[in-house]
Amino acid sequence: MSTFLFLDSRDSIDRSIANEFTWLLTGMNSMSTNNINLSLDSFLMPFSRYVIHSLNKYIYIQQNGGGTQIAVLTEGNYTATTLATEIKTRLDALGVNTYTVSYNSTTQKMSISVVIPNTFQLVDGSYNVYKLLGVDTDLFTSAVSSYTTPYQVDLSGTKYLDVVCTSIPIQNSKSGDSYPVLFRIPCYVQIGSVLSWEDYNQRSIRVSPYQLDQLSIRLIDDQGNPYYLDKTHELSLTIRLTPIAQ
């Protein structure tokens, strides 16, 4: 018979890292079995992250042959047109060139230009916005006066969250973090809604009762970045523990 654990982030013993949660469990190591299947049965959380957030708001640019400057976009939700306006505002604010930034609704691509003979070049850097804009820095090999992104703008936001169990390390994990992914949760709801999910397929990981003195999880987004939950928001989940027959 399965045992269900109902966990709430308000009961987490450590909220110092905004995408990690740890719960102390009692009585689990006294279960009369050597192995248990641990699975995520349900998950409930506000889905409130902006499309532009702290981990994708930077543009790295070299202007007129100068050194690299950083334009910082304002965090928030945008349409492609309003994002084009924001990009122009932040690039112009660097004080070198005046930019024209536009979005083509037919091709769904973004164009950036300056008046000749001025030039610019986008360069790679941490937490940049390029993937959302359809920019490929591998193709951006020289300074230009006009640039159109090779790929379509994608402002649909986070596609999925991985719920990673960090209290039970494993080898050769696909998460790349040496921890098992309990489940990958599709983010089909609108930003500002509640992300509610139930696992009907019962994906599980095998654990020993002695590994269950505490349970820790980490939220990772589709770009491999932490998904930070604001401390004013909470999540809840249900863990299913099913003894494995000897």
Side-chain angles (χ1 to χ4, degrees), residues 105-151:
S105 59
T106 301
T107 63
Q108 300 179 16
K109 296 179 179 182
M110 195 82 72
S111 295
I112 304 172
S113 64
V114 292
V115 176
I116 297 174
N118 296 311
T119 62
F120 66 96
Q121 182 174 354
L122 300 181
V123 294
D124 206 359
S126 301
Y127 303 136
N128 62 65
V129 72
Y130 300 153
K131 186 164 288 188
L132 274 66
L133 298 182
V135 171
D136 187 344
T137 52
D138 290 339
L139 302 177
F140 212 124
T141 57
S142 61
V144 296
S145 58
S146 180
Y147 173 74
T148 298
T149 60
Y151 307 110

Side-chain angles (χ1 to χ4, degrees), residues 2-4 35-42 163-165 168 170 173-174 179-184 197-208 211-212 215 238-245:
S2 297
T3 298
F4 293 89
N35 292 290
I36 299 169
N37 279 333
L38 183 153
S39 59
L40 181 63
D41 201 64
S42 65
V163 180
V164 179
C165 185
I168 306 174
I170 61 172
S173 169
K174 290 183 179 180
Y179 300 114
V181 176
L182 284 181
F183 210 84
R184 176 165 288 177
W197 175 87
E198 294 183 12
D199 181 15
Y200 297 103
N201 297 318
Q202 288 302 303
R203 168 178 172 161
S204 63
I205 59 174
R206 179 174 292 193
V207 300
S208 163
Q211 294 176 291
L212 292 177
L215 181 69
T238 305
I239 297 294
R240 180 194 295 258
L241 302 175
T242 305
I244 299 174

Side-chain angles (χ1 to χ4, degrees), residues 4 10-11 21 24 27-28 54 58 73 87 111 114 119 130 166 174 176-177 179 183 209 213 223 226 231:
F4 293 89
R10 288 169 289 191
D11 299 319
F21 308 88
L24 291 178
M28 295 299 105
S54 62
Y58 299 104
L73 302 179
I87 291 171
S111 295
V114 292
T119 62
Y130 300 153
T166 57
K174 290 183 179 180
D177 207 9
Y179 300 114
F183 210 84
D213 56 337
Q223 303 302 317
K231 290 187 178 180

Side-chain angles (χ1 to χ4, degrees), residues 12-218:
S12 173
I13 62 173
D14 187 1
R15 290 290 297 273
S16 59
I17 302 177
N19 74 314
E20 295 192 14
F21 308 88
T22 298
W23 296 271
L24 291 178
L25 307 180
T26 58
M28 295 299 105
N29 56 12
S30 63
M31 296 180 71
S32 57
T33 182
N34 292 326
N35 292 290
I36 299 169
N37 279 333
L38 183 153
S39 59
L40 181 63
D41 201 64
S42 65
F43 184 90
L44 190 69
M45 183 191 76
F47 188 59
S48 54
R49 177 195 261 183
Y50 291 135
V51 170
I52 301 297
H53 52 79
S54 62
L55 301 179
N56 67 0
K57 66 179 182 180
Y58 299 104
I59 297 175
Y60 299 83
I61 190 168
Q62 296 173 352
Q63 304 183 81
N64 299 341
T68 299
Q69 295 176 281
I70 304 175
V72 183
L73 302 179
T74 302
E75 296 183 27
N77 293 325
Y78 294 88
T79 65
T81 301
T82 58
L83 182 56
T85 300
E86 170 68 5
I87 291 171
K88 171 182 168 52
T89 298
R90 299 307 163 192
L91 292 179
D92 287 356
L94 295 176
V96 178
N97 292 327
T98 298
Y99 286 83
T100 298
V101 184
S102 60
Y103 173 73
N104 186 312
S105 59
T106 301
T107 63
Q108 300 179 16
K109 296 179 179 182
M110 195 82 72
S111 295
I112 304 172
S113 64
V114 292
V115 176
I116 297 174
N118 296 311
T119 62
F120 66 96
Q121 182 174 354
L122 300 181
V123 294
D124 206 359
S126 301
Y127 303 136
N128 62 65
V129 72
Y130 300 153
K131 186 164 288 188
L132 274 66
L133 298 182
V135 171
D136 187 344
T137 52
D138 290 339
L139 302 177
F140 212 124
T141 57
S142 61
V144 296
S145 58
S146 180
Y147 173 74
T148 298
T149 60
Y151 307 110
Q152 287 87 354
V153 173
D154 181 4
L155 300 181
S156 58
T158 303
K159 308 295 189 303
Y160 61 81
L161 294 179
D162 281 342
V163 180
V164 179
C165 185
T166 57
S167 56
I168 306 174
I170 61 172
Q171 299 298 320
N172 301 320
S173 169
K174 290 183 179 180
S175 69
D177 207 9
S178 297
Y179 300 114
V181 176
L182 284 181
F183 210 84
R184 176 165 288 177
I185 300 176
C187 298
Y188 293 144
V189 299
Q190 294 291 322
I191 295 172
S193 302
V194 174
L195 181 60
S196 178
W197 175 87
E198 294 183 12
D199 181 15
Y200 297 103
N201 297 318
Q202 288 302 303
R203 168 178 172 161
S204 63
I205 59 174
R206 179 174 292 193
V207 300
S208 163
Y210 298 102
Q211 294 176 291
L212 292 177
D213 56 337
Q214 71 177 36
L215 181 69
S216 300
I217 66 166
R218 178 183 299 160

